Amino acid sequence: MDDLFDDLDRSSPVPLYFQVARQIERAIELGKLPPGSRLENEIHLADRLGLSRPTMRRAIQQLVDKGLLVRKRGVGTQVVHGQVTRPVELTSLHDDLAANGQRPGTTVLVHEVVPAAGEVAARLAVPEGSPVLHLRRLRCSGEEPLAVLENWLPEPFTDIAEASLAERGLYQLLRSRGVGMRVARQRIGARRGTAEECQLLAEHRGSPLLTMERATHDDSGRAVEWGRHVYRASRYAFEVTLVDR
Amino acid sequence: MDDLFDDLDRSSPVPLYFQVARQIERAIELGKLPPGSRLENEIHLADRLGLSRPTMRRAIQQLVDKGLLVRKRGVGTQVVHGQVTRPVELTSLHDDLAANGQRPGTTVLVHEVVPAAGEVAARLAVPEGSPVLHLRRLRCSGEEPLAVLENWLPEPFTDIAEASLAERGLYQLLRSRGVGMRVARQRIGARRGTAEECQLLAEHRGSPLLTMERATHDDSGRAVEWGRHVYRASRYAFEVTLVDR
DNA sequence: GTCAAGCATATGTAAGGACAAAGGGACATG
DNA sequence: CATGTCCCTTTGTCCTTACATATGCTTGAC
């Protein structure tokens, strides 16, 4: 129990609270902190690690936000029961697949610059008629088609090359251009696929599909991307963790 | 611009950071802080309100977590563009409907105590064979059927009366019993409805439905509830806000 | 005129102290 | 036996201070 923590690296650019949070997370994953077990109290922990209480609290808070720990005043901090399911981060389907060891593939169906109109202009918060890049891609996992992704991007992203989209995910491309994506609002629903969608996705006509609309904003609050995606319900589901504070 | 903030109530049990966060949120809703506008810097704000910077930071952080604000080091804090959609909190469908001015109705289809088995026991983290309350309810909005809700609850909630479920939502009932729900993990997908589901929901046979599995944990990390819900895709969708930190 | 260094500005990280409030158990009291 | 009170533990809130670091603009050298 005393060797739960490795030493901290105070010279590292990685914040201390983050290092501590990762170590606790690992301890939970490795079963050193089984579900339901109580952590030492904040003061002792901070003391043992040579940290201040605020820093220790911040580390714990990060895991509370992730849904791994729960705190109760006067009682302590405990590990949540139930299997750990990795909650969705701000990632794209491409990243998710790659992280799971699958081989994501992309076919670009549409790649054109068009004037923004109607809902696209509204969602991207750009004037009607301003140029936006319109994309439509078929995303596969290995040989299996998985989703049809339709996206619109405002300036200055309208120059993204078609070739670069074949190899990398949209989020990856944006990140490599220095875009810091911060907030995404998603609306998840379901509907019957159109004849064309079902054909692309190798589903029977009229199969149920999972739909997702998403607007992503960068660290200046500007809209970076708006998209309408449809997923094969037989192969895909969204996982969400909600935390009350 | 100077009268953005009312006075704070330091004698109130509502934390100061929370009071400030609510005031900023209201200012955004009322358009006093339009999308893209920059807030004063933290130090000035804290100064003007007679608060310390950590407290001010915490108020801002709360709104960043909600997806209303974005911060950039060296630059400042700005209001996110795009219409504000209230993100899902840890509430039930019943609460959501009531909050939107609709009149939620419930028909209890199944209400029985059964021994936990298989997935139910695993998800609730209780031993196989221990008693659990099994519920199946049809949830309506006004006269329209909206969802079929199937839930399992472990001890000590197996004594929830059938009559109480007709009037109030499950979350409301649990809260009134002093249960502090903290973490919920959801898995959202889609599939074709069964013949029975479609009949209950007044949909055509084989209509696409939105599915949700959810496990809710209380402030001790124990499982409070596990459920499988199906929603009419034509009337319902989930909204989720993701924030990167 | 162009580019780089430097400065001002803002948020990010961290320490350390103080008091408040809730939970739970021990204990006294009815 | 039940119930209320006190106390201990633990998290919640709040203040003050200091330094680190990313950004964007200005200034100065070439």
Side-chain angles (χ1 to χ4, degrees):
Chain A
M1 184 70 75
D2 293 86
D3 50 357
L4 246 177
F5 300 102
D6 297 337
D7 288 332
L8 299 174
D9 181 359
R10 294 190 94 94
S11 68
S12 160
V14 178
L16 292 175
Y17 71 86
F18 195 86
Q19 293 183 42
V20 175
R22 270 194 48 83
Q23 290 193 16
I24 299 177
E25 197 173 355
R26 268 182 56 82
I28 294 174
E29 280 171 10
L30 295 175
K32 290 183 183 180
L33 288 172
S37 61
R38 268 203 14 244
L39 264 69
E40 261 182 275
N41 79 50
E42 301 175 349
I43 311 218
H44 286 167
L45 280 176
D47 226 42
R48 275 224 333 242
L49 293 172
L51 296 170
S52 66
R53 181 154 85 112
T55 302
M56 194 65 223
R57 269 183 75 76
R58 186 158 178 189
I60 293 175
Q61 185 63 46
Q62 193 163 78
L63 299 182
V64 171
D65 291 343
K66 264 193 164 179
L68 290 175
L69 299 177
V70 285
R71 300 208 260 202
K72 206 157 43 163
R73 179 192 302 207
V75 177
T77 306
Q78 290 175 288
V79 180
V80 173
H81 281 94
Q83 51 276 13
V84 276
T85 63
R86 199 165 298 281
V88 283
E89 307 277 338
L90 200 55
T91 57
S92 66
L93 181 54
H94 187 98
D95 300 338
D96 289 344
L97 290 174
N100 283 12
Q102 318 218 27
R103 206 163 32 78
T106 307
T107 309
V108 179
L109 305 171
V110 173
H111 176 280
E112 59 181 4
V113 176
V114 297
E119 185 163 18
V120 172
R123 297 286 180 169
L124 293 177
V126 297
E128 291 255 345
S130 58
V132 292
L133 177 62
H134 173 211
L135 297 176
R136 192 146 183 266
R137 294 166 296 159
L138 178 65
R139 171 63 42 80
C140 304
S141 168
E143 296 305 314
E144 288 276 346
L146 195 61
V148 178
L149 317 173
E150 193 159 23
N151 292 86
W152 288 265
L153 294 91
E155 308 248 51
F157 308 115
T158 51
D159 62 343
I160 290 179
E162 180 168 345
S164 56
L165 284 163
E167 277 305 313
R168 295 202 286 167
L170 186 54
Y171 269 34
Q172 231 178 85
L173 270 171
L174 289 170
R175 254 188 265 271
S176 72
R177 288 176 63 143
V179 180
M181 287 156 300
R182 283 298 155 80
V183 187
R185 298 219 182 82
Q186 303 187 343
R187 187 179 172 84
I188 302 169
R191 63 170 166 79
R192 234 186 268 279
T194 66
E196 189 213 9
E197 286 165 346
C198 291
Q199 200 204 331
L200 283 169
L201 294 173
E203 289 271 345
H204 292 122
R205 281 187 62 131
S207 287
L209 300 179
L210 197 56
T211 67
M212 190 260 276
E213 270 187 38
R214 180 182 60 195
T216 310
H217 299 262
D218 71 0
D219 46 18
S220 300
R222 279 191 305 257
V224 168
E225 168 258 340
W226 183 65
R228 265 204 264 251
H229 298 182
V230 296
Y231 302 83
R232 294 176 77 177
S234 54
R235 310 285 164 118
Y236 195 74
F238 291 97
E239 294 190 357
V240 184
T241 297
L242 299 177
V243 178
D244 198 32
R245 279 195 289 185
Chain B
M1 186 67 76
D2 293 85
D3 52 355
L4 244 176
F5 301 101
D6 297 337
D7 287 333
L8 300 175
D9 181 359
R10 294 191 95 94
S11 68
S12 161
V14 178
L16 293 174
Y17 71 86
F18 195 85
Q19 294 183 40
V20 176
R22 270 194 48 83
Q23 290 194 16
I24 299 177
E25 197 173 354
R26 267 183 57 81
I28 294 174
E29 280 171 9
L30 295 176
K32 290 184 181 178
L33 287 171
S37 62
R38 269 205 9 244
L39 265 68
E40 262 181 273
N41 77 50
E42 302 175 345
I43 311 217
H44 286 167
L45 280 176
D47 227 41
R48 275 225 332 244
L49 293 173
L51 294 170
S52 67
R53 183 154 85 109
T55 302
M56 195 65 224
R57 268 183 76 75
R58 189 160 174 188
I60 293 175
Q61 185 62 47
Q62 195 163 76
L63 299 181
V64 170
D65 291 344
K66 263 193 165 181
L68 290 175
L69 300 177
V70 285
R71 302 207 258 202
K72 204 157 48 162
R73 179 192 299 207
V75 178
T77 305
Q78 289 175 287
V79 180
V80 172
H81 281 93
Q83 52 275 15
V84 275
T85 64
R86 198 164 298 282
V88 285
E89 308 278 336
L90 199 54
T91 57
S92 66
L93 180 54
H94 187 99
D95 300 339
D96 289 343
L97 290 173
N100 283 13
Q102 319 218 24
R103 205 163 33 79
T106 308
T107 307
V108 179
L109 305 172
V110 173
H111 176 280
E112 58 180 4
V113 176
V114 297
E119 185 163 20
V120 172
R123 297 287 180 170
L124 292 178
V126 297
E128 292 254 345
S130 58
V132 292
L133 177 63
H134 174 210
L135 297 175
R136 192 144 184 266
R137 295 166 295 158
L138 178 65
R139 169 63 41 80
C140 304
S141 169
E143 298 305 313
E144 289 273 347
L146 194 61
V148 178
L149 316 173
E150 193 161 24
N151 292 87
W152 289 265
L153 293 90
E155 308 246 52
F157 308 115
T158 50
D159 62 343
I160 290 179
E162 181 168 346
S164 57
L165 284 163
E167 275 307 312
R168 298 202 284 169
L170 186 55
Y171 269 35
Q172 234 178 78
L173 270 171
L174 289 171
R175 253 189 266 271
S176 72
R177 289 177 61 143
V179 181
M181 288 158 295
R182 284 298 156 79
V183 187
R185 299 222 179 81
Q186 303 186 342
R187 186 180 172 84
I188 301 170
R191 63 170 166 79
R192 232 186 268 281
T194 65
E196 189 213 9
E197 286 166 346
C198 290
Q199 201 204 329
L200 284 169
L201 294 172
E203 289 271 347
H204 291 121
R205 279 187 62 131
S207 288
L209 300 179
L210 197 55
T211 68
M212 190 259 276
E213 270 186 39
R214 179 181 61 194
T216 311
H217 299 262
D218 71 0
D219 46 19
S220 299
R222 280 194 305 257
V224 169
E225 169 259 338
W226 183 65
R228 265 204 265 249
H229 299 182
V230 296
Y231 302 82
R232 292 176 77 176
S234 53
R235 311 284 163 118
Y236 196 75
F238 290 96
E239 294 190 356
V240 184
T241 298
L242 298 177
V243 178
D244 199 31
R245 281 195 288 184

